[in-house]
mmCIF file of all heavy atoms in Angstrom:
data_model
loop_
_atom_site.group_PDB
_atom_site.id
_atom_site.type_symbol
_atom_site.label_atom_id
_atom_site.label_comp_id
_atom_site.label_asym_id
_atom_site.label_seq_id
_atom_site.Cartn_x
_atom_site.Cartn_y
_atom_site.Cartn_z
ATOM 1 N N MET A 1 -61.366 37.298 20.800
ATOM 2 C CA MET A 1 -61.051 36.838 19.442
ATOM 3 C C MET A 1 -60.834 35.331 19.454
ATOM 4 O O MET A 1 -60.230 34.793 20.371
ATOM 5 C CB MET A 1 -59.802 37.540 18.919
ATOM 6 C CG MET A 1 -60.000 39.022 18.720
ATOM 7 S SD MET A 1 -58.497 39.890 18.230
ATOM 8 C CE MET A 1 -57.901 38.925 16.887
ATOM 9 N N ASP A 2 -61.324 34.680 18.433
ATOM 10 C CA ASP A 2 -61.139 33.239 18.294
ATOM 11 C C ASP A 2 -60.426 32.994 16.970
ATOM 12 O O ASP A 2 -60.981 33.260 15.904
ATOM 13 C CB ASP A 2 -62.491 32.537 18.319
ATOM 14 C CG ASP A 2 -62.347 31.038 18.270
ATOM 15 O OD1 ASP A 2 -61.508 30.506 19.020
ATOM 16 O OD2 ASP A 2 -63.062 30.415 17.475
ATOM 17 N N PHE A 3 -59.186 32.543 17.027
ATOM 18 C CA PHE A 3 -58.440 32.283 15.804
ATOM 19 C C PHE A 3 -57.453 31.145 16.037
ATOM 20 O O PHE A 3 -57.157 30.790 17.167
ATOM 21 C CB PHE A 3 -57.708 33.527 15.306
ATOM 22 C CG PHE A 3 -56.652 34.017 16.252
ATOM 23 C CD1 PHE A 3 -55.339 33.598 16.111
ATOM 24 C CD2 PHE A 3 -56.966 34.903 17.265
ATOM 25 C CE1 PHE A 3 -54.359 34.040 16.981
ATOM 26 C CE2 PHE A 3 -55.987 35.352 18.143
ATOM 27 C CZ PHE A 3 -54.683 34.915 17.998
ATOM 28 N N GLN A 4 -56.961 30.580 14.952
ATOM 29 C CA GLN A 4 -55.975 29.512 15.018
ATOM 30 C C GLN A 4 -54.803 29.873 14.113
ATOM 31 O O GLN A 4 -54.994 30.479 13.065
ATOM 32 C CB GLN A 4 -56.555 28.184 14.528
ATOM 33 C CG GLN A 4 -57.614 27.623 15.398
ATOM 34 C CD GLN A 4 -58.113 26.272 14.882
ATOM 35 O OE1 GLN A 4 -57.771 25.859 13.794
ATOM 36 N NE2 GLN A 4 -58.913 25.620 15.676
ATOM 37 N N THR A 5 -53.627 29.486 14.528
ATOM 38 C CA THR A 5 -52.436 29.637 13.702
ATOM 39 C C THR A 5 -51.905 28.248 13.413
ATOM 40 O O THR A 5 -51.715 27.446 14.320
ATOM 41 C CB THR A 5 -51.358 30.455 14.440
ATOM 42 O OG1 THR A 5 -51.909 31.723 14.759
ATOM 43 C CG2 THR A 5 -50.133 30.616 13.583
ATOM 44 N N ARG A 6 -51.702 27.958 12.158
ATOM 45 C CA ARG A 6 -51.192 26.655 11.771
ATOM 46 C C ARG A 6 -49.828 26.849 11.133
ATOM 47 O O ARG A 6 -49.705 27.447 10.080
ATOM 48 C CB ARG A 6 -52.147 25.993 10.774
ATOM 49 C CG ARG A 6 -52.378 24.555 11.085
ATOM 50 C CD ARG A 6 -53.324 23.909 10.117
ATOM 51 N NE ARG A 6 -54.703 23.896 10.532
ATOM 52 C CZ ARG A 6 -55.194 23.167 11.514
ATOM 53 N NH1 ARG A 6 -54.409 22.430 12.235
ATOM 54 N NH2 ARG A 6 -56.465 23.187 11.785
ATOM 55 N N LEU A 7 -48.795 26.371 11.813
ATOM 56 C CA LEU A 7 -47.446 26.500 11.291
ATOM 57 C C LEU A 7 -47.074 25.330 10.386
ATOM 58 O O LEU A 7 -46.306 25.476 9.461
ATOM 59 C CB LEU A 7 -46.455 26.601 12.440
ATOM 60 C CG LEU A 7 -46.625 27.798 13.362
ATOM 61 C CD1 LEU A 7 -45.613 27.738 14.502
ATOM 62 C CD2 LEU A 7 -46.487 29.088 12.594
ATOM 63 N N TYR A 8 -47.599 24.162 10.680
ATOM 64 C CA TYR A 8 -47.272 22.956 9.921
ATOM 65 C C TYR A 8 -48.522 22.152 9.666
ATOM 66 O O TYR A 8 -49.454 22.164 10.457
ATOM 67 C CB TYR A 8 -46.281 22.073 10.697
ATOM 68 C CG TYR A 8 -44.973 22.734 10.965
ATOM 69 C CD1 TYR A 8 -44.700 23.307 12.194
ATOM 70 C CD2 TYR A 8 -44.005 22.806 9.976
ATOM 71 C CE1 TYR A 8 -43.495 23.933 12.445
ATOM 72 C CE2 TYR A 8 -42.787 23.420 10.210
ATOM 73 C CZ TYR A 8 -42.543 23.985 11.447
ATOM 74 O OH TYR A 8 -41.351 24.595 11.682
ATOM 75 N N GLU A 9 -48.521 21.431 8.573
ATOM 76 C CA GLU A 9 -49.570 20.457 8.317
ATOM 77 C C GLU A 9 -49.099 19.111 8.837
ATOM 78 O O GLU A 9 -47.916 18.907 9.109
ATOM 79 C CB GLU A 9 -49.872 20.371 6.818
ATOM 80 C CG GLU A 9 -50.514 21.638 6.295
ATOM 81 C CD GLU A 9 -50.978 21.517 4.864
ATOM 82 O OE1 GLU A 9 -50.889 20.417 4.283
ATOM 83 O OE2 GLU A 9 -51.432 22.530 4.329
ATOM 84 N N LEU A 10 -50.025 18.188 8.981
ATOM 85 C CA LEU A 10 -49.701 16.861 9.470
ATOM 86 C C LEU A 10 -48.613 16.242 8.608
ATOM 87 O O LEU A 10 -48.689 16.296 7.382
ATOM 88 C CB LEU A 10 -50.950 15.976 9.458
ATOM 89 C CG LEU A 10 -50.785 14.552 9.979
ATOM 90 C CD1 LEU A 10 -50.335 14.560 11.440
ATOM 91 C CD2 LEU A 10 -52.093 13.789 9.836
ATOM 92 N N ASP A 11 -47.586 15.708 9.225
ATOM 93 C CA ASP A 11 -46.435 15.044 8.586
ATOM 94 C C ASP A 11 -45.445 15.998 7.920
ATOM 95 O O ASP A 11 -44.403 15.561 7.449
ATOM 96 C CB ASP A 11 -46.882 13.992 7.561
ATOM 97 C CG ASP A 11 -47.651 12.861 8.207
ATOM 98 O OD1 ASP A 11 -47.386 12.568 9.397
ATOM 99 O OD2 ASP A 11 -48.503 12.257 7.540
ATOM 100 N N GLU A 12 -45.728 17.286 7.894
ATOM 101 C CA GLU A 12 -44.825 18.228 7.231
ATOM 102 C C GLU A 12 -43.482 18.349 7.942
ATOM 103 O O GLU A 12 -42.444 18.515 7.304
ATOM 104 C CB GLU A 12 -45.488 19.606 7.137
ATOM 105 C CG GLU A 12 -44.712 20.615 6.365
ATOM 106 C CD GLU A 12 -45.460 21.926 6.212
ATOM 107 O OE1 GLU A 12 -46.650 21.999 6.535
ATOM 108 O OE2 GLU A 12 -44.812 22.895 5.766
ATOM 109 N N ILE A 13 -43.460 18.246 9.252
ATOM 110 C CA ILE A 13 -42.225 18.431 10.017
ATOM 111 C C ILE A 13 -41.475 17.114 10.240
ATOM 112 O O ILE A 13 -40.344 17.102 10.717
ATOM 113 C CB ILE A 13 -42.534 19.133 11.357
ATOM 114 C CG1 ILE A 13 -41.268 19.720 11.961
ATOM 115 C CG2 ILE A 13 -43.220 18.189 12.314
ATOM 116 C CD1 ILE A 13 -41.517 20.627 13.125
ATOM 117 N N ASN A 14 -42.090 15.990 9.869
ATOM 118 C CA ASN A 14 -41.477 14.688 10.133
ATOM 119 C C ASN A 14 -40.074 14.559 9.562
ATOM 120 O O ASN A 14 -39.172 14.059 10.236
ATOM 121 C CB ASN A 14 -42.354 13.563 9.596
ATOM 122 C CG ASN A 14 -43.638 13.419 10.362
ATOM 123 O OD1 ASN A 14 -43.974 14.240 11.196
ATOM 124 N ND2 ASN A 14 -44.380 12.373 10.070
ATOM 125 N N SER A 15 -39.857 14.983 8.339
ATOM 126 C CA SER A 15 -38.527 14.839 7.738
ATOM 127 C C SER A 15 -37.477 15.622 8.519
ATOM 128 O O SER A 15 -36.346 15.153 8.671
ATOM 129 C CB SER A 15 -38.544 15.253 6.266
ATOM 130 O OG SER A 15 -38.892 16.614 6.149
ATOM 131 N N CYS A 16 -37.829 16.777 9.046
ATOM 132 C CA CYS A 16 -36.890 17.554 9.865
ATOM 133 C C CYS A 16 -36.535 16.794 11.142
ATOM 134 O O CYS A 16 -35.369 16.776 11.549
ATOM 135 C CB CYS A 16 -37.487 18.902 10.233
ATOM 136 S SG CYS A 16 -37.766 20.004 8.854
ATOM 137 N N LEU A 17 -37.511 16.175 11.758
ATOM 138 C CA LEU A 17 -37.255 15.432 12.993
ATOM 139 C C LEU A 17 -36.397 14.202 12.724
ATOM 140 O O LEU A 17 -35.496 13.888 13.505
ATOM 141 C CB LEU A 17 -38.574 15.048 13.658
ATOM 142 C CG LEU A 17 -39.394 16.232 14.176
ATOM 143 C CD1 LEU A 17 -40.774 15.774 14.609
ATOM 144 C CD2 LEU A 17 -38.675 16.947 15.300
ATOM 145 N N TYR A 18 -36.643 13.513 11.604
ATOM 146 C CA TYR A 18 -35.790 12.375 11.243
ATOM 147 C C TYR A 18 -34.369 12.847 10.921
ATOM 148 O O TYR A 18 -33.393 12.199 11.288
ATOM 149 C CB TYR A 18 -36.370 11.607 10.055
ATOM 150 C CG TYR A 18 -37.569 10.750 10.399
ATOM 151 C CD1 TYR A 18 -38.767 10.901 9.730
ATOM 152 C CD2 TYR A 18 -37.489 9.774 11.396
ATOM 153 C CE1 TYR A 18 -39.866 10.106 10.038
ATOM 154 C CE2 TYR A 18 -38.584 8.988 11.719
ATOM 155 C CZ TYR A 18 -39.768 9.155 11.035
ATOM 156 O OH TYR A 18 -40.846 8.368 11.344
ATOM 157 N N ASP A 19 -34.239 13.989 10.255
ATOM 158 C CA ASP A 19 -32.914 14.528 9.897
ATOM 159 C C ASP A 19 -32.060 14.848 11.113
ATOM 160 O O ASP A 19 -30.836 14.733 11.062
ATOM 161 C CB ASP A 19 -33.054 15.788 9.040
ATOM 162 C CG ASP A 19 -33.500 15.512 7.624
ATOM 163 O OD1 ASP A 19 -33.482 14.334 7.194
ATOM 164 O OD2 ASP A 19 -33.881 16.477 6.925
ATOM 165 N N ILE A 20 -32.684 15.248 12.223
ATOM 166 C CA ILE A 20 -31.891 15.578 13.411
ATOM 167 C C ILE A 20 -31.657 14.366 14.305
ATOM 168 O O ILE A 20 -31.054 14.487 15.362
ATOM 169 C CB ILE A 20 -32.499 16.746 14.217
ATOM 170 C CG1 ILE A 20 -33.894 16.410 14.720
ATOM 171 C CG2 ILE A 20 -32.501 18.008 13.394
ATOM 172 C CD1 ILE A 20 -34.474 17.465 15.659
ATOM 173 N N GLY A 21 -32.141 13.187 13.873
ATOM 174 C CA GLY A 21 -31.758 11.978 14.568
ATOM 175 C C GLY A 21 -32.847 11.160 15.225
ATOM 176 O O GLY A 21 -32.578 10.075 15.741
ATOM 177 N N PHE A 22 -34.066 11.662 15.268
ATOM 178 C CA PHE A 22 -35.134 10.853 15.853
ATOM 179 C C PHE A 22 -35.442 9.685 14.929
ATOM 180 O O PHE A 22 -35.440 9.818 13.717
ATOM 181 C CB PHE A 22 -36.400 11.685 16.087
ATOM 182 C CG PHE A 22 -36.242 12.690 17.195
ATOM 183 C CD1 PHE A 22 -36.150 14.046 16.919
ATOM 184 C CD2 PHE A 22 -36.174 12.278 18.523
ATOM 185 C CE1 PHE A 22 -35.994 14.972 17.928
ATOM 186 C CE2 PHE A 22 -36.022 13.198 19.550
ATOM 187 C CZ PHE A 22 -35.929 14.548 19.249
ATOM 188 N N THR A 23 -35.708 8.525 15.508
ATOM 189 C CA THR A 23 -35.983 7.332 14.700
ATOM 190 C C THR A 23 -37.430 6.872 14.806
ATOM 191 O O THR A 23 -37.883 6.095 13.978
ATOM 192 C CB THR A 23 -35.065 6.172 15.132
ATOM 193 O OG1 THR A 23 -35.250 5.927 16.524
ATOM 194 C CG2 THR A 23 -33.609 6.509 14.850
ATOM 195 N N LYS A 24 -38.145 7.341 15.824
ATOM 196 C CA LYS A 24 -39.543 6.955 15.987
ATOM 197 C C LYS A 24 -40.365 8.196 16.304
ATOM 198 O O LYS A 24 -40.020 8.952 17.212
ATOM 199 C CB LYS A 24 -39.691 5.938 17.122
ATOM 200 C CG LYS A 24 -41.109 5.440 17.294
ATOM 201 C CD LYS A 24 -41.168 4.311 18.310
ATOM 202 C CE LYS A 24 -42.544 3.685 18.350
ATOM 203 N NZ LYS A 24 -43.536 4.392 19.084
ATOM 204 N N LEU A 25 -41.428 8.407 15.545
ATOM 205 C CA LEU A 25 -42.313 9.550 15.754
ATOM 206 C C LEU A 25 -43.739 9.056 15.923
ATOM 207 O O LEU A 25 -44.189 8.179 15.192
ATOM 208 C CB LEU A 25 -42.292 10.504 14.559
ATOM 209 C CG LEU A 25 -40.967 11.093 14.124
ATOM 210 C CD1 LEU A 25 -41.161 11.934 12.878
ATOM 211 C CD2 LEU A 25 -40.360 11.916 15.231
ATOM 212 N N SER A 26 -44.437 9.647 16.865
ATOM 213 C CA SER A 26 -45.874 9.456 17.008
ATOM 214 C C SER A 26 -46.479 10.847 17.052
ATOM 215 O O SER A 26 -45.956 11.734 17.727
ATOM 216 C CB SER A 26 -46.217 8.706 18.288
ATOM 217 O OG SER A 26 -45.666 7.416 18.263
ATOM 218 N N VAL A 27 -47.573 11.047 16.321
ATOM 219 C CA VAL A 27 -48.214 12.362 16.264
ATOM 220 C C VAL A 27 -49.640 12.223 16.790
ATOM 221 O O VAL A 27 -50.432 11.434 16.274
ATOM 222 C CB VAL A 27 -48.234 12.931 14.830
ATOM 223 C CG1 VAL A 27 -48.788 14.349 14.834
ATOM 224 C CG2 VAL A 27 -46.850 12.894 14.211
ATOM 225 N N TYR A 28 -49.937 12.999 17.821
ATOM 226 C CA TYR A 28 -51.234 12.932 18.475
ATOM 227 C C TYR A 28 -51.993 14.241 18.290
ATOM 228 O O TYR A 28 -51.411 15.292 18.055
ATOM 229 C CB TYR A 28 -51.061 12.658 19.969
ATOM 230 C CG TYR A 28 -50.247 11.429 20.265
ATOM 231 C CD1 TYR A 28 -48.985 11.519 20.839
ATOM 232 C CD2 TYR A 28 -50.733 10.167 19.969
ATOM 233 C CE1 TYR A 28 -48.241 10.384 21.109
ATOM 234 C CE2 TYR A 28 -49.997 9.025 20.239
ATOM 235 C CZ TYR A 28 -48.750 9.140 20.815
ATOM 236 O OH TYR A 28 -48.006 8.024 21.072
ATOM 237 N N SER A 29 -53.309 14.144 18.453
ATOM 238 C CA SER A 29 -54.151 15.338 18.350
ATOM 239 C C SER A 29 -54.651 15.797 19.718
ATOM 240 O O SER A 29 -55.378 16.778 19.807
ATOM 241 C CB SER A 29 -55.339 15.067 17.430
ATOM 242 O OG SER A 29 -56.144 14.034 17.957
ATOM 243 N N SER A 30 -54.263 15.076 20.778
ATOM 244 C CA SER A 30 -54.674 15.468 22.122
ATOM 245 C C SER A 30 -53.692 14.880 23.140
ATOM 246 O O SER A 30 -52.903 14.001 22.811
ATOM 247 C CB SER A 30 -56.078 14.950 22.430
ATOM 248 O OG SER A 30 -56.063 13.559 22.607
ATOM 249 N N TYR A 31 -53.798 15.368 24.356
ATOM 250 C CA TYR A 31 -52.937 14.853 25.426
ATOM 251 C C TYR A 31 -53.342 13.435 25.842
ATOM 252 O O TYR A 31 -52.607 12.772 26.548
ATOM 253 C CB TYR A 31 -52.968 15.786 26.634
ATOM 254 C CG TYR A 31 -52.276 17.103 26.358
ATOM 255 C CD1 TYR A 31 -53.004 18.271 26.203
ATOM 256 C CD2 TYR A 31 -50.894 17.166 26.230
ATOM 257 C CE1 TYR A 31 -52.371 19.473 25.936
ATOM 258 C CE2 TYR A 31 -50.251 18.358 25.964
ATOM 259 C CZ TYR A 31 -50.998 19.504 25.817
ATOM 260 O OH TYR A 31 -50.371 20.679 25.544
ATOM 261 N N GLU A 32 -54.497 12.976 25.397
ATOM 262 C CA GLU A 32 -54.925 11.603 25.670
ATOM 263 C C GLU A 32 -54.341 10.629 24.659
ATOM 264 O O GLU A 32 -54.721 9.465 24.610
ATOM 265 C CB GLU A 32 -56.462 11.512 25.647
ATOM 266 C CG GLU A 32 -57.130 12.167 26.832
ATOM 267 C CD GLU A 32 -57.209 13.677 26.693
ATOM 268 O OE1 GLU A 32 -57.266 14.191 25.557
ATOM 269 O OE2 GLU A 32 -57.200 14.351 27.729
ATOM 270 N N LYS A 33 -53.431 11.108 23.816
ATOM 271 C CA LYS A 33 -52.720 10.322 22.807
ATOM 272 C C LYS A 33 -53.642 9.731 21.742
ATOM 273 O O LYS A 33 -53.505 8.595 21.337
ATOM 274 C CB LYS A 33 -51.863 9.238 23.454
ATOM 275 C CG LYS A 33 -50.703 9.811 24.256
ATOM 276 C CD LYS A 33 -49.720 8.740 24.644
ATOM 277 C CE LYS A 33 -48.485 9.379 25.267
ATOM 278 N NZ LYS A 33 -47.463 8.388 25.550
ATOM 279 N N VAL A 34 -54.588 10.550 21.303
ATOM 280 C CA VAL A 34 -55.416 10.186 20.158
ATOM 281 C C VAL A 34 -54.588 10.477 18.909
ATOM 282 O O VAL A 34 -54.092 11.594 18.733
ATOM 283 C CB VAL A 34 -56.730 11.001 20.134
ATOM 284 C CG1 VAL A 34 -57.521 10.708 18.881
ATOM 285 C CG2 VAL A 34 -57.547 10.710 21.388
ATOM 286 N N ILE A 35 -54.398 9.474 18.062
ATOM 287 C CA ILE A 35 -53.555 9.627 16.868
ATOM 288 C C ILE A 35 -54.142 10.700 15.949
ATOM 289 O O ILE A 35 -55.330 10.686 15.639
ATOM 290 C CB ILE A 35 -53.449 8.289 16.104
ATOM 291 C CG1 ILE A 35 -52.815 7.219 16.987
ATOM 292 C CG2 ILE A 35 -52.673 8.454 14.794
ATOM 293 C CD1 ILE A 35 -51.369 7.473 17.343
ATOM 294 N N ALA A 36 -53.293 11.626 15.514
ATOM 295 C CA ALA A 36 -53.709 12.660 14.558
ATOM 296 C C ALA A 36 -53.854 12.017 13.186
ATOM 297 O O ALA A 36 -52.944 11.340 12.713
ATOM 298 C CB ALA A 36 -52.679 13.779 14.515
ATOM 299 N N GLU A 37 -55.005 12.222 12.559
ATOM 300 C CA GLU A 37 -55.281 11.585 11.281
ATOM 301 C C GLU A 37 -55.361 12.559 10.111
ATOM 302 O O GLU A 37 -55.240 12.155 8.964
ATOM 303 C CB GLU A 37 -56.577 10.787 11.369
ATOM 304 C CG GLU A 37 -56.482 9.641 12.368
ATOM 305 C CD GLU A 37 -57.763 8.844 12.466
ATOM 306 O OE1 GLU A 37 -58.691 9.098 11.665
ATOM 307 O OE2 GLU A 37 -57.833 7.959 13.317
ATOM 308 N N ASN A 38 -55.597 13.851 10.404
ATOM 309 C CA ASN A 38 -55.718 14.832 9.315
ATOM 310 C C ASN A 38 -55.411 16.224 9.847
ATOM 311 O O ASN A 38 -55.102 16.401 11.012
ATOM 312 C CB ASN A 38 -57.108 14.761 8.680
ATOM 313 C CG ASN A 38 -58.210 15.020 9.673
ATOM 314 O OD1 ASN A 38 -58.147 15.965 10.453
ATOM 315 N ND2 ASN A 38 -59.230 14.174 9.679
ATOM 316 N N ASN A 39 -55.509 17.210 8.975
ATOM 317 C CA ASN A 39 -55.174 18.586 9.338
ATOM 318 C C ASN A 39 -56.307 19.331 10.040
ATOM 319 O O ASN A 39 -56.173 20.512 10.322
ATOM 320 C CB ASN A 39 -54.765 19.365 8.087
ATOM 321 C CG ASN A 39 -53.426 18.918 7.574
ATOM 322 O OD1 ASN A 39 -52.508 18.697 8.349
ATOM 323 N ND2 ASN A 39 -53.307 18.754 6.280
ATOM 324 N N GLN A 40 -57.395 18.667 10.341
ATOM 325 C CA GLN A 40 -58.534 19.322 10.983
ATOM 326 C C GLN A 40 -58.384 19.434 12.498
ATOM 327 O O GLN A 40 -59.208 20.041 13.150
ATOM 328 C CB GLN A 40 -59.828 18.566 10.651
ATOM 329 C CG GLN A 40 -60.110 18.478 9.166
ATOM 330 C CD GLN A 40 -60.150 19.837 8.494
ATOM 331 O OE1 GLN A 40 -60.795 20.757 8.991
ATOM 332 N NE2 GLN A 40 -59.438 19.976 7.395
ATOM 333 N N THR A 41 -57.332 18.865 13.053
ATOM 334 C CA THR A 41 -57.112 18.946 14.492
ATOM 335 C C THR A 41 -56.579 20.326 14.877
ATOM 336 O O THR A 41 -55.987 21.019 14.066
ATOM 337 C CB THR A 41 -56.132 17.836 14.945
ATOM 338 O OG1 THR A 41 -56.042 17.862 16.355
ATOM 339 C CG2 THR A 41 -54.770 18.017 14.340
ATOM 340 N N GLU A 42 -56.804 20.723 16.112
ATOM 341 C CA GLU A 42 -56.363 22.032 16.577
ATOM 342 C C GLU A 42 -54.880 22.080 16.891
ATOM 343 O O GLU A 42 -54.276 23.132 16.871
ATOM 344 C CB GLU A 42 -57.159 22.447 17.821
ATOM 345 C CG GLU A 42 -58.606 22.751 17.519
ATOM 346 C CD GLU A 42 -59.328 23.274 18.746
ATOM 347 O OE1 GLU A 42 -58.663 23.662 19.723
ATOM 348 O OE2 GLU A 42 -60.565 23.293 18.708
ATOM 349 N N LYS A 43 -54.293 20.941 17.237
ATOM 350 C CA LYS A 43 -52.875 20.919 17.583
ATOM 351 C C LYS A 43 -52.287 19.559 17.230
ATOM 352 O O LYS A 43 -53.006 18.565 17.124
ATOM 353 C CB LYS A 43 -52.668 21.212 19.067
ATOM 354 C CG LYS A 43 -53.316 20.194 19.981
ATOM 355 C CD LYS A 43 -53.163 20.602 21.431
ATOM 356 C CE LYS A 43 -54.051 19.802 22.340
ATOM 357 N NZ LYS A 43 -55.394 20.319 22.446
ATOM 358 N N PHE A 44 -50.987 19.548 17.046
ATOM 359 C CA PHE A 44 -50.254 18.308 16.844
ATOM 360 C C PHE A 44 -49.243 18.173 17.967
ATOM 361 O O PHE A 44 -48.477 19.095 18.236
ATOM 362 C CB PHE A 44 -49.507 18.299 15.507
ATOM 363 C CG PHE A 44 -50.410 18.371 14.308
ATOM 364 C CD1 PHE A 44 -50.292 19.414 13.418
ATOM 365 C CD2 PHE A 44 -51.357 17.393 14.070
ATOM 366 C CE1 PHE A 44 -51.123 19.476 12.310
ATOM 367 C CE2 PHE A 44 -52.181 17.456 12.969
ATOM 368 C CZ PHE A 44 -52.070 18.501 12.086
ATOM 369 N N LEU A 45 -49.271 17.052 18.645
ATOM 370 C CA LEU A 45 -48.328 16.775 19.719
ATOM 371 C C LEU A 45 -47.421 15.655 19.249
ATOM 372 O O LEU A 45 -47.893 14.584 18.861
ATOM 373 C CB LEU A 45 -49.065 16.351 20.984
ATOM 374 C CG LEU A 45 -50.083 17.350 21.496
ATOM 375 C CD1 LEU A 45 -50.933 16.727 22.582
ATOM 376 C CD2 LEU A 45 -49.397 18.586 22.018
#
């Protein structure tokens, strides 16, 4: 089976992370630190 589960969209969780005290966030689409630009990526790091 080939399927994907998406729990959050890009930037959707940012406010939660800021609320718990983080001051700097970077969101990547791969382990090579490619910046995530849209919701078409398979994962957000």
Side-chain angles (χ1 to χ4, degrees):
M1 294 175 50
D2 184 46
F3 64 93
Q4 293 182 351
T5 301
R6 224 179 266 290
L7 298 177
Y8 298 100
E9 292 187 5
L10 181 61
D11 297 331
E12 186 176 350
I13 198 169
N14 291 9
S15 62
C16 295
L17 294 171
Y18 285 124
D19 287 347
I20 61 173
F22 290 108
T23 57
K24 183 173 188 281
L25 303 176
S26 297
V27 185
Y28 305 112
S29 62
S30 72
Y31 290 108
E32 288 79 29
K33 293 192 172 185
V34 175
I35 299 294
E37 296 180 7
N38 59 47
N39 289 318
Q40 301 304 313
T41 186
E42 291 185 15
K43 62 184 167 275
F44 297 120
L45 303 169

